[in-house]
Amino acid sequence: MNDELVFAEDSDEDEVQYKGSWKILIVDDEPEIHTVTKLALNDFEFQNKNLTFISAYSGEQAREILLNNHDIAVVLLDVVMETDDAGLKIADFIRNEAKNHFIRIILRTGQPGQAPERDVIINYDINDYKSKTELTAQKLFTVVIAALRSYRDIVAINENRIGLEKIISASANLFRTHSVEHLIEGIVQQLSSLLGAGKDAAYLTCAVAGPRPAAESPTNSLDNLVVFTGQGEYQNAAGKALPNVLSGEQLEACRIALHEKTLVYADEYLVAFCESHTHYGSLLYLSGLPKRLNDAQKKLVEIFSQNVQIAFDNIMLTKDIEDTQREIIERLGQAMEVGAGIENYTLRTVKVCQILGQALGFDEEQLRLLMSAVPLHDIGKLYVPTHALFNADAPSAKDIDLIAKHTKFGYRLLKDSKRPLIKIAATIAKEHYEHWDGKGYPNGLCAENIHLYARIASVAIAYDVLRGQSKHAEAWPVPKVMTRMKELSGSQFDPSLIALLTENIDKVEGVALDCVR
């Protein structure tokens, strides 16, 4: 018995590269069965796809192949091999261990008495049971066709299910930038599945980088289009300019669709213009389509192209509002820098908080709240007299007492809001001078009684103050700063955060380079 995994019978078959083929796994300990099966199905074609054969001569080989090939459509499985029930064990392995419920299992046996058909069909999740003696070339052809149709339909149903799940999931948080990616991915996935397309689908848009005024850029230029999200061949193309993703006749089809605001159909792909009422509009490119779309399928594409941009426009409008809100908060925070002689302090502090939050495993919403709230940590200084804040001489005891009260002032200003962002900002404003050992102010909180966001802000603020140059002090070098931060670990700062700061110091210093000091 041949102990090797065989993927083709001879060198000529190895050279055949089919664009999209159905994988058929033959599991049998008799080499002649492999040869005869491949010969009988040599000229097989279904939906413009040929067959690719994979051979296994034992249950162990079959397990290895099944674990490494998740797109096998049909397995022709011998019952009796190294043991009398080796094939039945493989059938059970496929469904219950490999969790593959798509592959169609056709049991073939030369010894029907070893595994009675009625018992096998009832006890095992298989799709057909045949005696080798009854499987003529024509019957084998019929059985494989029926199995492939079943496999095709099951995969299509699953693709629709995944697409629908993405749409439903995205709809729950429709007005967030990350969910619109899932929304469009889900719609494209469903559309490509309904059209019988492959997974090579890309949604191309110029709005992902922010709409540009018409006076600055023509609306009919392909150079203004970048890939927003993609699937299949284009899954890693997000952010790339359209001319760097498509070329030749596909790129020309995109130019026509964009210029004429229409749909362009070709043999195996289409380009649809998605009109926008607020921005420039987008392009949908789908490849791997059936050679001819019927009228119903074309109507589906038209409906999609007319409506998908509405969702994206809503997202971009909401994003613009959120960006405006964030900028107002940041500028308010930067207003606290005036007179202190520390430029871009707020921006750098926010970036350091982001790095620490990411290191802690914060999700996108947690990071958004942290980064949006931190700029308001010194908002209470609006109530502190200017002479106390910006005294050219060393501050007096009275000045220090006034400055210390800014934490309470900031909290009072923000605490009554019902908005999660402002409530978090109030907490940070009040607690960012609390110490891990309980010797901080205003309330002497200690350890985890201090809100995590305030502990993060405390570390970020201290690090940036030591690293930044001000009117009263020169910037410290990194080694000196880290030595001091570690000295204060466990007293002023949360030790776990100082450890994370140490681990991520290169990223933190990268922020310093990106921000003009």
Side-chain angles (χ1 to χ4, degrees), residues 31-106:
E32 296 81 5
I33 296 297
H34 293 257
T35 303
V36 170
T37 300
K38 293 175 184 179
L39 184 62
L41 299 173
N42 182 55
D43 59 350
F44 185 98
E45 183 178 302
F46 176 60
Q47 289 196 328
N48 298 317
K49 295 182 180 180
N50 297 86
L51 300 181
T52 293
F53 296 101
I54 306 175
S55 292
Y57 296 88
S58 67
E60 183 180 350
Q61 290 179 354
R63 283 183 174 87
E64 182 179 347
I65 292 171
L66 287 162
L67 289 175
N68 293 321
N69 294 268
H70 303 290
D71 57 347
I72 294 173
V74 178
V75 56
L76 299 171
L77 181 59
D78 188 17
V79 175
V80 181
M81 291 184 286
E82 61 265 33
T83 62
D84 289 347
D85 61 349
L88 299 179
K89 289 180 178 178
I90 291 298
D92 183 71
F93 168 82
I94 291 171
R95 302 301 191 211
N96 298 319
E97 292 186 43
K99 303 297 182 183
N100 188 334
H101 299 284
F102 302 107
I103 189 171
R104 302 295 85 193
I105 302 175
I106 301 173

Side-chain angles (χ1 to χ4, degrees), residues 337-343 381 386-396 399 403 465-466 468-476 480:
E337 301 172 7
V338 176
I342 306 176
E343 295 182 359
K381 288 182 178 179
T386 304
H387 70 81
L389 289 172
F390 307 126
N391 195 331
D393 302 319
S396 64
D399 289 340
I403 294 171
V465 167
L466 293 176
Q469 182 173 337
S470 69
K471 289 181 178 180
H472 304 292
E474 293 294 322
W476 286 16
K480 184 177 179 180

Side-chain angles (χ1 to χ4, degrees), residues 329-330 332-334 346 350 370-379:
I329 292 174
E330 288 177 355
L332 189 57
Q334 289 166 2
T346 300
V350 168
L370 173 63
M371 295 170 65
S372 297
V374 163
L376 296 176
H377 70 274
D378 274 344
I379 192 69

